[in-house]
Amino acid sequence: MKFQFLNQEHEAKYSQFRTEDMADYYRTNKEYLSVAYLMTGNKELYRKMKPYFDAKGGNFDSEEMFEEKDFSSGLSVLAKLAVHLFNSNETVEPLDIISTLDEEGFKLALNAFILRRYGVSKGYDFPEEKLYV
């Protein structure tokens, strides 16, 4: 099962983050990729999470992130989901995902689940057709 990007901008930002901001070791790690996918799909989420997510050093200081940053209800759900998919240090209720997120956020959440479950190939094989939701 393949995950889908929201649009070309999302795909480009995700690819750039994966290439420039992730250590080689983490580039196929499902936990790191699911966080990168969520972050790069929303500009505000990216801006707020990036200082706490070190994908080169292998650290995600989610506790400090939630202490220092304010998240709207929808962004809070996505941020908690990112932490949950990374290390289960936060809990996200399915109903929060269903009822709190807008359409774009909901698509991000669903595709983050797919990415977390199946990951990506080690050879960076992406299909020729572009997958956008």
Side-chain angles (χ1 to χ4, degrees):
M1 183 175 249
K2 301 277 186 192
F3 67 98
Q4 299 176 330
F5 294 100
L6 296 176
N7 51 42
Q8 288 177 324
E9 181 182 348
H10 182 205
E11 180 181 18
K13 190 150 183 113
Y14 172 83
S15 295
Q16 179 181 9
F17 185 88
R18 190 173 174 203
T19 303
E20 297 175 6
D21 295 312
M22 295 181 95
D24 289 343
Y25 179 79
Y26 300 117
R27 287 186 183 148
T28 56
N29 182 293
K30 294 185 247 184
E31 292 85 0
Y32 285 82
L33 292 174
S34 60
V35 174
Y37 176 85
L38 285 168
M39 282 175 44
T40 58
N42 181 289
K43 289 177 183 177
E44 184 179 353
L45 189 64
Y46 183 84
R47 184 176 46 79
K48 289 183 176 183
M49 287 181 67
K50 181 146 181 357
Y52 305 95
F53 182 60
D54 176 12
K56 284 195 188 255
N59 300 312
F60 188 4
D61 194 351
S62 58
E63 189 174 314
E64 187 175 334
M65 177 182 73
F66 285 117
E67 287 175 9
E68 294 180 357
K69 298 292 181 185
D70 281 333
F71 292 94
S72 66
S73 59
L75 284 184
S76 177
V77 169
L78 289 175
K80 287 179 182 179
L81 178 60
V83 175
H84 184 76
L85 294 175
F86 184 76
N87 61 14
S88 300
N89 284 349
E90 288 289 332
T91 302
V92 181
E93 296 294 327
L95 194 54
D96 290 337
I97 294 169
I98 293 167
S99 61
T100 305
L101 296 178
D102 62 13
E103 193 67 26
E104 190 171 274
F106 187 69
K107 289 175 184 177
L108 278 172
L110 290 178
N111 282 284
F113 289 135
I114 293 168
L115 183 56
R116 177 61 169 80
R117 180 172 175 126
Y118 298 105
V120 296
S121 71
K122 293 187 188 297
Y124 301 100
D125 297 344
F126 286 99
E128 286 300 314
E129 66 179 289
K130 297 296 179 186
L131 303 174
Y132 304 111
V133 287

